[in-house]
């Protein structure tokens, strides 16, 4: 199953990000901790140029905690400032201001030497769709947030959100890249819901999810659906059989009788996307 998705509005978003970056001091790239490589837009390095960089490993509560810290180290070793966050509960969010300040320290000192004092830092929050950018911003900004209005050179409607007196955040729409070079990347992005289900055969996607999850988390299916012990599944007939078992357990029957695999597929995807199969990480640091 080869998935490609780059809707037209993303070309516009890319242009908006390129233009807005000129106004920003730092880029906060929000990633999904379950797939910290595949949820990174490879175009971002080029777009961000020499700006300071912060990586937010978001949804860390949904990822396997045995791997989260290894990913923090992986990106720190690559020279990024890194925050592990769960934007839904707010965990890790308090560190963000400090990390942004640290990432911009050199720039602040340069400003000071030029006599520019107390200018707020401007941070762009970027990421692919559904990684939790809006939730992250809302968690960071809390009730005290205030829109600071449009900035010169930025089209109307763009949202600057004030964080205290010295940081302003710019929210940006989700941006993917024009072509996924390997099939696995497209699949993982579809698993986490970053690609519209409208362009996907969700039953095929669920079968792919079974292959992927059963590799390292074979117990997840029994724990969720009570279908008995499962080993790694690598044959299509076994994956189909598992979907049928899920259908039976969940009472999904076709009109003429027999398990409704298509409905079971939707249940499985929804369970994975909402962490009901447990905390699962699908990529590991080299
Ligand atoms: P986006 O702007 O990047 O597109 O993502 P958005 O904030 O809309 O978040 C997408 C979904 O991910 C939302 O769930 C949101 O609640 C959830 N989410 C964001 N960050 C985290 C996190 O750190 N941990 C967990 N567990 N969930 C997170 P939703 O089901 O679409 O909406 P809702 O019903 O939760 O409001």
């Amino acid at each position: 199953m080869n998935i490609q998705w780059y809707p037209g509005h993303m070309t516009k978003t890319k242009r908006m990000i390129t233009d807005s970056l000129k106004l920003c001091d730092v880029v906060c790239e929000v990633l999904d901790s379950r797939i910290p490589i595949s949820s990174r837009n490879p175009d971002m390095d080029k777009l961000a140029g020499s700006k300071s960089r912060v990586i937010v490993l978001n949804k860390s509560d949904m990822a396997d905690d045995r791997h989260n810290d290894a990913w923090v180290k992986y990106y720190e070793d690559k020279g990024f400032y890194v925050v592990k966050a769960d934007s839904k509960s707010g965990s890790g969010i308090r560190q963000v201001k400090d990390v942004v300040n640290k990432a911009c320290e050199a720039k602040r000192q340069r400003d000071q030497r030029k006599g520019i004092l107390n200018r707020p830092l401007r941070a762009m929050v970027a990421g692919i769709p559904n990684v939790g950018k809006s939730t992250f911003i809302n968690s960071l900004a809390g009730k005290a947030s205030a829109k600071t209005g449009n900035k010169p050179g930025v089209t109307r409607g763009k949202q600057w959100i004030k964080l205290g007196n010295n940081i302003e955040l710019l929210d940006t729409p989700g941006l993917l890249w024009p072509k996924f070079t390997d099939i696995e990347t497209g699949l993982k992005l579809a698993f986490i819901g970053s690609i519209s289900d409208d362009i996907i055969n969700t039953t095929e996607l669920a079968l792919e999810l079974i292959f992927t999850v059963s590799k390292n988390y074979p117990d997840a299916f029994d724990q969720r659906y009570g279908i008995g012990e499962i080993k790694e599944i690598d044959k299509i007939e076994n994956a189909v059989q598992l979907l049928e078992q899920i259908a039976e357990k969940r009472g999904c029957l076709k009109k003429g009788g027999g398990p409704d695999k298509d409905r079971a597929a939707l249940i499985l995807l929804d369970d994975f996307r909402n962490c009901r199969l447990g905390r699962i990480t699908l990529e590991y640091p080299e």
Side-chain angles (χ1 to χ4, degrees):
M1 188 182 191
N2 191 356
I3 299 168
Q4 297 293 343
W5 192 55
Y6 192 67
H9 63 80
M10 287 193 188
T11 309
K12 226 167 121 189
T13 296
K14 190 168 175 183
R15 213 173 303 131
M16 177 279 232
I17 287 180
T18 310
D19 291 345
S20 308
L21 264 167
K22 294 174 196 143
L23 306 170
C24 295
D25 306 301
V26 56
V27 180
C28 294
E29 213 177 325
V30 182
L31 306 185
D32 187 314
S33 299
R34 294 169 295 176
I35 51 167
I37 296 286
S38 296
S39 60
R40 267 206 86 202
N41 186 335
D43 289 345
M44 198 46 82
D45 286 336
K46 205 166 158 209
L47 283 172
S50 59
K51 302 281 175 189
S52 300
R53 308 287 294 279
V54 173
I55 293 254
V56 179
L57 286 165
N58 196 37
K59 302 201 181 187
S60 59
D61 58 308
M62 302 177 90
D64 189 334
D65 212 28
R66 290 175 298 176
H67 304 294
N68 282 338
D69 290 334
W71 278 115
V72 171
K73 185 171 179 316
Y74 173 89
Y75 279 117
E76 280 176 349
D77 287 350
K78 291 199 176 303
F80 293 93
Y81 290 86
V82 185
V83 185
K84 179 174 94 171
D86 161 6
S87 298
K88 210 158 179 175
S89 77
S91 160
I93 294 295
R94 274 185 19 209
Q95 293 171 44
V96 175
K97 274 194 215 170
D98 283 350
V99 170
V100 166
N101 276 313
K102 256 191 228 156
C104 295
E105 188 49 37
K107 158 87 178 150
R108 209 191 284 278
Q109 284 176 6
R110 278 200 304 277
D111 277 358
Q112 260 173 9
R113 282 196 294 273
K114 288 187 214 155
I116 305 168
L117 300 174
N118 301 325
R119 188 178 71 69
L121 295 173
R122 291 180 189 150
M124 172 179 283
V125 177
I128 65 168
N130 211 38
V131 286
K133 294 176 298 300
S134 312
T135 313
F136 170 72
I137 289 178
N138 289 339
S139 178
L140 250 181
K143 285 202 183 94
S145 68
K147 288 175 203 157
T148 61
N150 296 324
K151 292 276 181 274
V154 182
T155 41
R156 268 168 164 266
K158 213 158 288 171
Q159 294 255 295
W160 286 89
I161 296 137
K162 216 169 165 176
L163 271 195
N165 288 328
N166 73 338
I167 301 180
E168 290 174 7
L169 296 175
L170 177 64
D171 192 6
T172 64
L175 179 66
L176 287 164
W177 55 105
K179 195 160 171 26
F180 310 133
T181 42
D182 75 303
I183 290 175
E184 294 287 313
T185 303
L187 283 174
K188 288 178 199 159
L189 294 175
F191 294 156
I192 65 160
S194 289
I195 289 179
S196 167
D197 276 346
D198 295 346
I199 65 131
I200 295 169
N201 178 328
T202 43
T203 305
E204 276 182 37
L205 184 67
L207 293 170
E208 296 285 358
L209 183 67
I210 289 173
F211 292 136
T212 306
V213 170
S214 73
K215 229 178 265 170
N216 291 308
Y217 302 91
D219 297 340
F221 302 101
D222 183 34
Q223 275 165 16
R224 177 68 187 157
Y225 306 110
I227 49 179
E229 197 188 329
I230 299 276
K231 292 214 168 62
E232 179 178 351
I233 292 178
D234 54 7
K235 290 200 178 68
I236 186 77
E237 55 271 26
N238 296 344
V240 170
Q241 192 188 9
L242 177 55
L243 261 195
E244 288 174 348
Q245 285 175 287
I246 295 172
E248 274 157 15
K249 283 283 177 185
R250 287 292 182 263
C252 303
L253 298 175
K254 284 196 277 203
K255 263 196 191 142
D260 186 338
K261 293 191 291 290
D262 299 335
R263 269 174 64 205
L266 293 176
I267 289 174
L268 177 63
L269 288 170
D270 195 56
D271 281 346
F272 173 75
R273 288 172 184 167
N274 288 291
C275 209
R276 289 188 290 262
L277 292 182
R279 298 177 66 168
I280 289 177
T281 295
L282 299 179
E283 288 174 342
Y284 314 100
E286 289 143 15

